[in-house]
């Protein structure tokens, strides 16, 4: 398995500001992803973080709002830009090695509240 | 597009068996997954099943897969209060990379 940590674990931010969330995996992984879980909802994929190139965004999510970096095989960041209260969610990082079972592991999440 | 559906709530008594059901639409799925989310926590991978299997057992957990009906179930034997959580069924997206999740089934176990 892979152990994934995220920083910060939670934050309260003002409307209009930006927050960068860090995701660190304890070993090299092939793919990393960012998901959003709005209050009481399921998880929605924001984007696939590609190492050394631009992230691949899902419909409804754009780079200007959610810039993502992945400088190496174990680390990624997600920035939530120009925040509004609608961005209040849990943001989860996940990763897979693409081995048998294609198991995908999740970080503990970052609970963001925008006021 | 792909879709995963689950019933939203299940309430059982401690010691009973729990059965959580899920249906999916993507017939090309290779693996299907069950995740558990406890209050305030991230997602824990519970188990997964390969699409050429009908059943997989892992201690108190039994996964049943009916490919013809695109139906997946998770049975928890001897359910304990510590099993109270939200259980998510998940399938891969069309690219076969990221996951598509159901809305989650909230399991409530009473003593």
């Amino acid at each position: 398995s892979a152990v994934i940590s995220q920083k910060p674990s939670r934050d309260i931010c003002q409307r209009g500001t930006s927050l960068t969330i860090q995701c660190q995996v304890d070993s090299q992984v092939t793919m990393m992803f960012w998901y959003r879980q709005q209050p009481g909802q399921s998880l929605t994929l924001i984007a696939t973080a590609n190492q050394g190139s631009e992230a691949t965004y899902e419909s409804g999510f754009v780079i200007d709002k959610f810039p993502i970096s992945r400088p190496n095989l174990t680390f990624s960041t997600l920035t939530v830009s120009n925040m509004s209260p609608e961005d209040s969610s849990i943001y989860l990082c996940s990763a897979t090695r693409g081995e048998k079972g294609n198991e995908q592991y999740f970080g503990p999440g970052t609970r963001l509240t925008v006021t | 597009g792909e879709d995963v559906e689950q019933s939203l709530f299940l309430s059982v008594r401690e010691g009973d068996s729990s059965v959580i059901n899920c249906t999916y639409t993507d017939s090309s799925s290779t693996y299907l997954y069950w995740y558990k989310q406890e209050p305030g926590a991230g997602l824990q991978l519970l188990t997964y099943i390969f699409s050429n299997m009908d059943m997989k057992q892992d201690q108190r957990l039994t996964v049943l897969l009916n490919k013809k009906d695109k139906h997946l179930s998770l049975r928890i034997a001897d359910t304990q209060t510590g099993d109270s959580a939200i259980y998510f069924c998940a399938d891969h997206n069309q690219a076969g990379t990221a996951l598509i999740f159901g809305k989650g089934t909230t399991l409530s176990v009473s003593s």
Side-chain angles (χ1 to χ4, degrees):
Chain A
S1 66
V3 177
I4 302 176
S5 59
Q6 287 184 231
K7 285 196 292 190
S9 58
R10 59 177 62 226
D11 208 342
I12 301 172
C13 300
Q14 298 284 332
R15 182 196 297 259
T17 62
S18 298
L19 175 72
T20 295
I21 302 167
Q22 297 180 5
C23 175
Q24 179 73 55
V25 190
D26 68 340
S27 55
Q28 290 186 354
V29 291
T30 51
M31 303 193 78
M32 295 181 75
F33 308 92
W34 287 97
Y35 290 82
R36 180 173 75 182
Q37 186 178 23
Q38 293 179 298
Q41 302 295 315
S42 186
L43 283 80
T44 301
L45 178 66
I46 298 172
T48 303
N50 299 309
Q51 194 234 336
S53 64
E54 194 171 284
T56 305
Y57 289 84
E58 297 299 301
S59 174
F61 298 97
V62 295
I63 188 170
D64 290 346
K65 176 68 176 176
F66 297 101
I68 287 170
S69 78
R70 188 181 171 194
N72 57 49
L73 292 175
T74 62
F75 185 78
S76 178
T77 67
L78 167 75
T79 299
V80 186
S81 303
N82 188 24
M83 287 183 283
S84 67
E86 292 71 35
D87 295 320
S88 297
S89 285
I90 300 173
Y91 292 86
L92 296 110
C93 172
S94 76
T96 179
R97 291 199 186 88
E99 295 167 339
K100 181 186 174 209
N102 211 14
E103 296 167 29
Q104 197 163 122
Y105 300 97
F106 284 79
T110 296
R111 185 178 296 269
L112 172 62
T113 302
V114 184
T115 59
Chain B
E2 307 90 344
D3 195 20
V4 177
E5 298 282 342
Q6 296 178 242
S7 52
L8 296 182
F9 298 100
L10 177 64
S11 182
V12 301
R13 288 185 178 276
E14 194 172 21
D16 288 349
S17 292
S18 307
V19 179
I20 302 171
N21 294 301
C22 169
T23 57
Y24 60 96
T25 58
D26 184 6
S27 57
S28 64
S29 302
T30 305
Y31 296 98
L32 291 146
Y33 305 85
W34 285 103
Y35 283 84
K36 176 182 181 183
Q37 186 177 38
E38 296 183 71
L43 267 72
Q44 173 195 353
L45 177 62
L46 276 181
T47 186
Y48 65 89
I49 188 167
F50 187 45
S51 60
N52 71 351
M53 298 170 66
D54 298 324
M55 184 180 85
K56 179 179 180 182
Q57 187 149 4
D58 184 1
Q59 300 182 327
R60 291 192 297 122
L61 304 178
T62 303
V63 179
L64 295 178
L65 174 60
N66 181 329
K67 277 197 78 173
K68 175 174 168 288
D69 294 339
K70 297 179 189 170
H71 183 268
L72 182 73
S73 68
L74 174 70
R75 178 177 180 270
I76 306 172
D78 186 26
T79 312
Q80 304 297 307
T81 53
D83 295 323
S84 294
I86 303 175
Y87 291 81
F88 291 95
C89 171
D91 186 9
H92 277 294
N93 63 0
Q94 203 162 32
T97 53
L99 294 177
I100 295 174
F101 287 84
K103 291 192 186 321
T105 299
T106 299
L107 174 63
S108 174
V109 183
S110 56
S111 55

